[in-house]
Amino acid sequence: MLREVSSDVSSARERDPAARGIGTLEILTGWAGVQALLAHRVAHALWDSEVPIVPRAIAYTSRAITGVEIHPAAKIEYVSLQNLSKETWHFGRYKAWLERDSELDWVIGGFGSKRGKVWIENDLAGEGATSRVTGAYFADGDQHLDFDTFQEHIAPNTESDFAFKGALREEASSVWRGMIRVEPGAQKTNAYQENRNLLLSEQAHADSILGLEIMANDVRCTHGATLGRIDRENLFYLMARGLSRAEAERLIVRGFFQDVLDRIELAPVREAVTAALEARIPQG
């Protein structure tokens, strides 16, 4: 099953031609007798600027709420790519409930909007459940992207793996908060989270806030975060072999994201994320 469950909001385009380019894409796929329930869905509707939670100067807001229940022994691939216009504030809340021996492979991309805030929660409620979330984001100008993730291990012998990478240029900023929580009965949990950021300007800024709440005594929980700029030695090495500075920087940025792209199994999704990243890397 391959189904697009949300896309551009045509009414916004009709009200304002400048809204063209506002875009979101969400895809849900399933195999092995999957039964998936979209528990509650508000599909990226746009409201007027008079909504009190955002400044009146903002032309549009985008909101999404998605819940996915994965039944025993089912496998789901869920994709959410956000490439909204720079006039939009985006708010998204996504939650998945995994039952026994179910699998979730989730891809999320953040490339558009002026301000973006996304909450992601995975509840591993059945023994043997496995969750993998792969995130990529690229911000420039004065964009600010904020991700808040929560890995809740409720049952024993569950596994979660969250990996997010982002690049920021000009005056863009990001915040990534990650929490792993292991309940008392969730023995043999294996949980991992990481956030890696590449800064492409002196003004760009990124924060990584990682946390663990472990209430079981037989678990493996690890996390990691890095923040850095383009390595000058790598840049010199590539330029010494005939590449211009811009070409060398583009190659380094591509390499930075490659391991995240390799985690994406669906070729069309991997190509879409790659294209979104390529469009953001400076051309010269």
Side-chain angles (χ1 to χ4, degrees):
M1 175 180 64
L2 180 63
R3 182 164 62 122
E4 181 178 330
V5 296
S6 77
S7 58
D8 295 350
V9 180
S10 59
S11 60
R13 294 197 185 103
E14 294 168 0
R15 290 198 305 268
D16 184 358
R20 292 172 185 160
I22 293 175
T24 62
L25 174 65
E26 300 200 17
I27 297 173
L28 177 70
T29 70
W31 295 270
V34 67
Q35 297 182 67
L37 172 65
L38 292 180
H40 180 57
R41 176 77 195 151
V42 180
H44 292 278
L46 298 184
W47 285 266
D48 294 332
S49 61
E50 294 184 5
V51 175
I53 59 173
V54 297
R56 293 176 63 88
I58 301 301
Y60 306 102
T61 62
S62 164
R63 305 180 185 182
I65 301 174
T66 300
V68 179
E69 180 181 339
I70 308 176
H71 290 189
K75 178 179 179 180
I76 282 286
E77 284 205 359
Y78 183 75
V79 181
S80 177
L81 304 181
Q82 182 268 112
N83 198 15
L84 295 156
S85 81
K86 296 288 186 67
E87 298 180 357
T88 304
W89 285 44
H90 174 65
F91 303 90
R93 183 176 290 276
Y94 304 91
K95 182 173 181 177
W97 178 272
L98 290 83
E99 298 185 6
R100 176 183 290 271
D101 296 324
S102 62
E103 296 181 39
L104 172 64
D105 195 349
W106 193 324
V107 177
I108 183 165
F111 307 105
S113 76
K114 183 176 181 67
R115 299 287 185 269
K117 173 66 178 181
V118 173
W119 293 265
I120 302 170
E121 179 178 346
N122 284 185
D123 292 350
L124 293 92
E127 185 171 359
T130 301
S131 169
R132 184 172 76 160
V133 178
T134 302
Y137 53 93
F138 199 121
D140 55 20
D142 64 348
Q143 280 184 280
H144 176 77
L145 301 178
D146 189 319
F147 297 91
D148 202 320
T149 69
F150 187 51
Q151 297 154 255
E152 171 83 348
H153 288 261
I154 303 169
N157 296 297
T158 54
E159 182 174 345
S160 67
D161 177 5
F162 281 41
F164 281 68
K165 275 196 171 185
L168 302 103
R169 58 187 293 260
E170 298 173 338
E171 297 180 357
S173 60
S174 71
V175 175
W176 189 87
R177 298 175 184 84
M179 175 60 70
I180 297 173
R181 179 181 173 90
V182 182
E183 299 294 345
Q187 302 291 0
K188 303 296 184 181
T189 284
N190 185 2
Y192 178 69
Q193 61 178 201
E194 69 169 335
N195 179 226
R196 316 289 181 186
N197 289 285
L198 180 64
L199 303 183
L200 303 177
S201 70
E202 294 293 330
Q203 296 77 29
H205 182 82
D207 290 312
S208 300
I209 306 168
L210 298 89
L212 300 172
E213 293 183 3
I214 301 174
M215 290 164 283
N217 59 13
D218 187 7
V219 303
R220 183 177 185 271
C221 297
T222 56
H223 57 197
T226 60
L227 174 67
R229 305 185 187 278
I230 290 180
D231 187 279
R232 291 187 177 183
E233 291 187 4
N234 291 339
L235 194 62
F236 174 80
Y237 178 87
L238 294 171
M239 293 176 66
R241 279 149 181 79
L243 296 180
S244 68
R245 184 183 183 91
E247 291 171 333
E249 288 183 349
R250 287 177 62 84
L251 193 60
I252 291 171
V253 173
R254 289 193 195 105
F256 172 75
F257 281 104
Q258 191 58 54
D259 60 340
V260 168
L261 296 173
D262 289 342
R263 286 167 56 105
I264 303 174
E265 295 182 359
L266 287 173
V269 175
R270 185 168 58 250
E271 292 167 3
V273 175
T274 301
L277 290 170
E278 285 287 334
R280 289 306 189 93
I281 301 175
Q283 299 292 322

